Amino acid sequence: MVPYAPNGMPLAGFGDRFLAYLIDGLVTFGVAVVLAIPIFIAMFAVIAGTANTDSSSAGPSILLILLFEFGYVLAILAWIYIYHVEMFGHSGVTWGKRAMKLRIIRLDDPAAPPTRGVMARRWAVQNVAGAVVPFFSYVDGLWQLWDKPYQQCLHDKAAGTIVVKAG
């Protein structure tokens, strides 16, 4: 028996949500690779520049490399935010959710579209907490398997959203 949302739409199953997550992950990975190319070129230029000088200047090059890496992590987090929050506001779904015919709706008002704040809260719990707390991403994603009645992940609970099958 398929469980239903308060608006009568069927809830998205684990398999559909997981495939949408994988598709979105591939999109994110592709952008991460494209962003990495200029950063690695700059890092290698810094390393090559310090290799041609005396060894006493190796300290600042390590600091620069760490700054490049920190900037890269921030750029990836910014891209994931844009993809999951801002793009959602533009099209209503990510590419993975579109491919799997899924939609995010608010639990308190299923007819109203999720706001930027709701989507930002959802993103922060899923991505920021997942990057900081060990194994949180696994627990978050698997939570829907035993959550009743709406099969919510922890990021859904924090934002007050549910995922439904739209097609």
Side-chain angles (χ1 to χ4, degrees):
M1 181 172 175
V2 176
Y4 290 92
N7 65 355
M9 296 178 79
L11 294 173
F14 178 78
D16 288 335
R17 289 185 72 168
F18 185 67
L19 286 173
Y21 176 80
L22 288 177
I23 293 167
D24 289 336
L26 287 173
V27 171
T28 301
F29 178 75
V31 171
V33 168
V34 170
L35 285 175
I37 293 170
I39 289 174
F40 282 120
I41 289 171
M43 281 181 16
F44 288 131
V46 167
I47 292 169
T50 58
N52 295 334
T53 61
D54 64 359
S55 62
S56 64
S57 65
S61 68
I62 292 172
L63 180 61
L64 282 173
I65 290 170
L66 290 174
L67 286 174
F68 279 127
E69 290 179 8
F70 182 70
Y72 178 68
V73 169
L74 287 180
I76 295 304
L77 275 175
W79 159 246
I80 294 170
Y81 174 84
I82 290 167
Y83 183 72
H84 285 278
V85 177
E86 300 300 328
M87 184 173 157
F88 179 86
H90 181 294
S91 66
V93 290
T94 61
W95 292 336
K97 286 182 181 52
R98 178 176 290 138
M100 299 310 300
K101 296 179 174 52
L102 303 179
R103 225 176 83 201
I104 299 169
I105 62 172
R106 290 173 34 185
L107 191 55
D108 62 346
D109 187 3
T115 63
R116 177 181 286 150
V118 166
M119 294 307 293
R121 195 171 326 121
R122 192 175 193 274
W123 169 84
V125 170
Q126 184 176 20
N127 294 287
V128 178
V132 176
V133 179
F135 304 107
F136 179 81
S137 294
Y138 297 113
V139 174
D140 177 35
L142 294 172
W143 197 269
Q144 66 183 307
L145 293 174
W146 55 80
D147 184 69
K148 299 295 178 228
Y150 298 120
Q151 299 177 349
Q152 293 173 291
C153 293
L154 293 175
H155 61 271
D156 291 315
K157 287 190 171 296
T161 59
I162 53 178
V163 181
V164 296
K165 195 76 170 153

